[in-house]
C-alpha cells in the first residue's frame, strides 16, 4: 500500500499529454494533428505543456513507411506499453502479497518456493513454463496485428480486435472479455486517461525495478522494495540455494538444475509483462 501511495503521489508523471485518437475511420496523423490533440487535453498540466516530443520522433520515418505511418506506429506502441506497464505494476503488488508468494497446499508449478519476490518468482518457473508464456505472448501479438485497418495505415491506435471464437480455445476477448464497458462513454477522454495512467505506470514499474537493483536510487520508495540479486535482462537462469540466481550460463557446482516440465506453470501479470 505504501508503494502504491508513494508512486501515486508522483504528480509529475501526469504532466505528459496523452495523444487521442480521431473518431473518423481513417486517422490523420501528422505532427500538426498531434499538436492539436495534445493541446486539446483538458488536464491542467496538459494544457500548460502542450505537445511533448523532446526526441523529435514525430519527424522520423521508420522502415521507409512514411511519416504518418511512423506516427501511427508510435501512438500504438505507447498505448500498448502503457497497458503492459499497468499490468506489471499491479502484478508486482499482487505477487508481493502472501496470497501469491506465501505457502500453497498445491504448488502452482514445479519448484515453487514461498517467500520469493516477484522477479524471483519468475526465475523459479521451470523452462517449459517460460516457453509456454512466450508462446502465449507470441499468439496474442500475432492476433493483434490482424486488423481490418492497420494502425500504420490510418487505423485506430491501441485497438485490439475481437478474438473470441477464432479458435476453439479462444472463449474470451482480450479486451473487455465480460462486456463490462459502456460503449456510449466518452472514448476520447477515456483514451486520454488511459495513456496518462500508462505513463505513470511506466514510471512506477521502472522505479520499482531501479530500487530493487540499486537500493536507495529512488528515495520515494527506499526501504519498501526488496533487493533483487538477479538480472532482469536475463530471462533464463539456474537457481542456487533457493533465492540466489546466476546468469543464463551457470557453471557453479552449487547450481541446482530446474525441472523442464511443469504441470501448471504460473502466468502472472508481472512475469507476463516482463517479457514484452
Amino acid at each position: 500500500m505504501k508503494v502504491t501511495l508513494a508512486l501515486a503521489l508522483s504528480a509529475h508523471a501526469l504532466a505528459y499529454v496523452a495523444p487521442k485518437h480521431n473518431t473518423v475511420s481513417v486517422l490523420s496523423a501528422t505532427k500538426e494533428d498531434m499538436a492539436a490533440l495534445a493541446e486539446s487535453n483538458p488536464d491542467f498540466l496538459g494544457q500548460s505543456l502542450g505537445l511533448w516530443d523532446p526526441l523529435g520522433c514525430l519527424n522520423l520515418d521508420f522502415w521507409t513507411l512514411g511519416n504518418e505511418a511512423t506516427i501511427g506506429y508510435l501512438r500504438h506502441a505507447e498505448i500498448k506499453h502503457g497497458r503492459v506497464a499497468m499490468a506489471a505494476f499491479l502484478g508486482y503488488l499482487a505477487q508481493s502479497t502472501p496470497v501469491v508468494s506465501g505457502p500453497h497446499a498445491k504448488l502452482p508449478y514445479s519448484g515453487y518456493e514461498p517467500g520469493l519476490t516477484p522477479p524471483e518468482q519468475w526465475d523459479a518457473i521451470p523452462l517449459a513454463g517460460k516457453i509456454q508464456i512466450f508462446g502465449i505472448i507470441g499468439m496474442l501479438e500475432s492476433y493483434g496485428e490482424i486488423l481490418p485497418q492497420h494502425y500504420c495505415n490510418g487505423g485506430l491506435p491501441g485497438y485490439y480486435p475481437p478474438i473470441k471464437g477464432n479458435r476453439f480455445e479462444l472463449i474470451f476477448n482480450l479486451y473487455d472479455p465480460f462486456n463490462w464497458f459502456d460503449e456510449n462513454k466518452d472514448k476520447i477522454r477515456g483514451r486520454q486517461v488511459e495513456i496518462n495512467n500508462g505513463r505513470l505506470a511506466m514510471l512506477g514499474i521502472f522505479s520499482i525495478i531501479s530500487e530493487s537493483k540499486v537500493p536507495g536510487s529512488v528515495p520515494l520508495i527506499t526501504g519498501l522494495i526488496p533487493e533483487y540479486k538477479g538480472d532482469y535482462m536475463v530471462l533464463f537462469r539456474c537457481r542456487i540455494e533457493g533465492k540466489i540466481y546466476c546468469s543464463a550460463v551457470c557453471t557453479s557446482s552449487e547450481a541446482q538444475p530446474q525441472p523442464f516440465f511443469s504441470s501448471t506453470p504460473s502466468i502472472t501479470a508481472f512475469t507476463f509483462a516482463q517479457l514484452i
Side-chain angles (χ1 to χ4, degrees):
M1 179 58 70
K2 291 182 179 178
V3 176
T4 307
L5 293 175
L7 292 175
L9 292 175
S10 300
H12 65 279
L14 299 177
Y16 308 120
V17 180
K20 308 189 299 263
H21 66 75
N22 291 345
T23 57
V24 295
S25 58
V26 178
L27 173 70
S28 179
T30 65
K31 186 173 182 178
E32 291 72 22
D33 293 320
M34 298 303 102
L37 289 172
E39 292 167 0
S40 67
N41 193 317
D43 294 341
F44 171 76
L45 293 177
Q47 289 284 315
S48 61
L49 184 63
L51 180 65
W52 192 74
D53 181 27
L55 299 180
C57 293
L58 295 180
N59 299 316
L60 301 179
D61 180 0
F62 290 175
W63 311 295
T64 66
L65 294 176
N67 181 248
E68 289 199 24
T70 299
I71 292 175
Y73 170 83
L74 292 172
R75 294 181 66 193
H76 183 82
E78 178 182 30
I79 293 168
K80 182 168 71 172
H81 283 83
R83 291 168 178 169
V84 170
M86 287 187 277
F89 182 81
L90 294 177
Y92 190 100
L93 298 184
Q95 289 177 241
S96 299
T97 64
V99 175
V100 178
S101 63
H104 292 266
K106 182 179 180 180
L107 297 183
Y109 51 84
S110 178
Y112 173 83
E113 295 180 17
L116 298 181
T117 64
E120 291 171 344
Q121 292 171 30
W122 165 258
D123 291 338
I125 296 176
L127 177 61
K130 295 178 180 179
I131 292 175
Q132 291 175 52
I133 295 173
F134 270 112
I136 291 176
I137 293 172
M139 287 188 292
L140 293 176
E141 283 287 297
S142 63
Y143 292 150
E145 292 296 316
I146 304 174
L147 301 168
Q149 188 168 6
H150 199 270
Y151 49 83
C152 286
N153 191 32
L156 180 66
Y159 174 73
Y160 195 91
I163 60 176
K164 180 179 178 181
N166 288 354
R167 287 182 53 87
F168 68 90
E169 70 271 16
L170 298 175
I171 59 176
F172 296 109
N173 287 319
L174 182 63
Y175 172 75
D176 194 13
F178 304 109
N179 297 318
W180 285 347
F181 299 131
D182 181 9
E183 290 299 319
N184 296 319
K185 67 180 181 180
D186 185 351
K187 294 183 179 180
I188 294 179
R189 179 56 184 160
R191 179 55 52 82
Q192 290 175 333
V193 172
E194 179 186 29
I195 298 181
N196 279 338
N197 290 338
R199 288 168 171 173
L200 176 60
M202 284 187 272
L203 291 175
I205 190 60
F206 272 98
S207 295
I208 290 175
I209 292 173
S210 300
E211 179 63 28
S212 69
K213 291 301 297 179
V214 184
S217 61
V218 186
L220 193 62
I221 56 176
T222 296
L224 299 177
I225 305 299
E227 184 178 2
Y228 173 55
K229 296 184 180 299
D231 189 339
Y232 285 107
M233 302 305 293
V234 180
L235 297 178
F236 302 98
R237 57 179 59 83
C238 58
R239 296 189 295 159
I240 301 177
E241 297 178 356
K243 293 187 179 180
I244 307 299
Y245 299 84
C246 62
S247 62
V249 180
C250 182
T251 59
S252 171
S253 60
E254 300 177 354
Q256 301 297 321
Q258 295 184 7
F260 185 83
F261 293 103
S262 170
S263 57
T264 54
S266 173
I267 301 177
T268 56
F270 176 74
T271 56
F272 179 86
Q274 189 183 21
L275 301 176
I276 302 180

